Amino acid sequence: MGSIGDLFGWIATPLYYAISGVMLVWHKLFTGVFQIPASNGWSWVLAIIGLTITIRALLIPLFVRQIKSSRNMQLIQPKVKELQKKYGHDRQKLAEETMKLYKDTGTNPFASCLPIILQMPIFLVLFRLINHAAHGEPKGFLSQLDADHIHDAAIFGVKISATFTGSADAGPKILAAVLVVSMCATTFLTQRQLMAKNMPSDAMTGQYAQQQKMLLYVLPIVFAVSGLAFPIAAMLYWTASNLWTMCQQFYVIRNNPAPGTPAFKAKEERDRAKAMKHGQPLPADAGAVDPDVSSGSSTEQRDRRPAQRQQPKKQTRSQRKSGPNPGSRPNPQKNRGKK
């Protein structure tokens, strides 16, 4: 157990300095520019939100990889099902062919977990940072004065270092309960948004769909149980991070949805309506739309197309010697020479 604690301490020490440093930069910004008192709870709450923005901005490249991997996992589900039907009797062969499919399509099934995995140490270190400061023990770049300010910092009359289980008063319990519900709701809505709008119908069944459904219901329960022991400041960080994820995912799904999903069809309809409004040519796939939706009927659209040029029929050598083809165009130069 001591070796595990030493390992965590070795990993956590640089994170203590990194997290506390970012928090102090944001705290100095709000106290110096906006003249919020250093001991005011809102200055530390805004510093935690600034910490969230900084960390999530740094994780954007990983989020892009997560989106691409998740999309690839959805699109290759029909092929995965075919492999399961073909090699269902041979687990080793099925695993080999599945990994080969992942490699050929550039899909990493673990990439979708990277942002959460990388955020967990940050969250745990922030939890311990706030917990130590609540007991007057500074960590990282925090001074003793900063630790005292965090210890006394309060919003709505509740200390941000308070927890649901560690408080006997009603105020901390109510605020902690509200934040626990917010954590669970944002986690649920983010996963629900992904499944309802950006998953093809083929991916809604099978093992991958079962995993997504499990995350949909299991993660909120995990946060609901564990959140009761988290300080209010740590739950503020996680709720703000969930809101960032939900908004970021909404933007990606709306503007770059996976093919064959409800979000993709909605984007096609928006693009089509926008093109019609501005009098622009319809997209290439507009021919698959109901003619009533377009600006003109299908007959009118066919009339606008240029007439196809009729190709002359092929003739044998005897036909060419016997005379001109009735369907061919006469040659005035040849007729003039005969006269």
Side-chain angles (χ1 to χ4, degrees):
M1 190 70 178
S3 59
I4 297 177
D6 294 339
L7 178 62
F8 179 78
W10 179 77
I11 297 174
T13 298
L15 288 178
Y16 278 128
Y17 284 97
I19 292 173
S20 61
V22 174
M23 281 182 60
L24 286 175
V25 169
W26 283 99
H27 186 256
K28 296 294 183 184
L29 174 66
F30 289 113
T31 56
V33 177
F34 298 99
Q35 301 297 316
I36 302 176
S39 59
N40 191 292
W42 287 106
S43 64
W44 289 104
V45 168
L46 293 173
I48 291 172
I49 295 175
L51 171 68
T52 308
I53 294 172
T54 303
I55 292 173
R56 293 313 306 265
L58 293 174
L59 291 177
I60 285 178
L62 289 178
F63 179 79
V64 173
R65 289 185 59 186
Q66 176 191 14
I67 289 295
K68 290 181 179 179
S69 176
S70 178
R71 177 175 300 177
N72 287 343
M73 286 291 294
Q74 296 167 14
L75 296 179
I76 66 174
Q77 285 310 300
K79 296 182 179 179
V80 172
K81 292 179 182 178
E82 292 178 3
L83 292 177
Q84 290 173 348
K85 292 180 181 179
K86 187 175 181 180
Y87 302 106
H89 61 282
D90 190 345
R91 289 181 174 271
Q92 183 177 356
K93 185 66 175 178
L94 176 61
E96 292 175 356
E97 292 296 326
T98 304
M99 293 305 296
K100 184 177 182 297
L101 177 62
Y102 289 158
K103 183 178 180 180
D104 294 341
T105 57
T107 303
N108 184 0
F110 302 104
S112 58
C113 303
L114 280 178
I116 295 179
I117 293 174
L118 290 179
Q119 280 196 92
M120 287 310 296
I122 298 172
F123 179 76
L124 292 174
V125 169
L126 178 64
F127 167 79
R128 291 175 63 89
L129 189 74
I130 299 297
N131 194 40
H132 281 286
H135 293 85
E137 302 173 3
K139 286 282 187 178
F141 289 113
L142 294 179
S143 64
Q144 185 62 51
L145 181 61
D146 295 326
D148 294 338
H149 286 168
I150 293 176
H151 176 269
D152 298 327
I155 56 172
F156 306 117
V158 177
K159 290 186 176 182
I160 63 174
S161 59
T163 63
F164 183 92
T165 56
S167 301
D169 299 334
K173 289 185 178 295
I174 293 174
L175 183 56
V178 169
L179 289 174
V180 167
V181 172
S182 300
M183 286 172 55
C184 297
T186 50
T187 302
F188 178 85
L189 292 175
T190 301
Q191 186 66 20
R192 180 64 180 171
Q193 181 187 63
L194 177 66
M195 295 182 62
K197 295 186 177 181
N198 206 41
M199 286 186 66
S201 57
D202 294 337
M204 295 301 291
T205 58
Q207 185 177 2
Y208 180 75
Q210 294 300 322
Q211 293 174 355
Q212 296 298 315
K213 291 178 182 178
M214 182 179 68
L215 292 176
L216 178 65
Y217 296 104
V218 171
L219 283 180
I221 295 175
V222 171
F223 287 129
V225 175
S226 58
L228 299 177
F230 292 156
I232 288 174
M235 286 192 287
L236 284 169
Y237 167 84
W238 199 256
T239 303
S241 181
N242 284 351
L243 288 172
W244 175 290
T245 302
M246 189 164 59
C247 295
Q248 192 176 38
Q249 182 175 270
F250 174 81
Y251 177 83
V252 172
I253 291 175
R254 179 179 174 84
N255 294 279
N256 193 19
T261 61
F264 187 83
K265 296 178 182 178
K267 186 177 186 301
E268 284 185 328
E269 292 295 333
R270 291 195 306 271
D271 293 343
R272 191 175 295 111
K274 184 178 179 180
M276 291 170 57
K277 181 178 179 181
H278 295 282
Q280 298 173 353
L282 294 177
D285 57 349
V289 186
D290 193 330
D292 295 335
V293 179
S294 60
S295 57
S297 64
S298 58
T299 305
E300 293 174 350
Q301 291 179 356
R302 287 196 298 268
D303 294 341
R304 294 172 189 166
R305 297 175 183 174
Q308 294 182 352
R309 183 178 178 182
Q310 186 176 3
Q311 299 293 333
K313 297 180 179 180
K314 294 184 177 180
Q315 297 177 336
T316 64
R317 182 178 299 177
S318 60
Q319 288 175 338
R320 287 197 299 269
K321 288 182 179 181
S322 63
N325 185 14
S328 64
R329 186 178 297 177
N331 190 341
Q333 297 293 336
K334 186 175 181 180
N335 294 336
R336 189 179 296 114
K338 287 182 178 182
K339 290 180 182 179

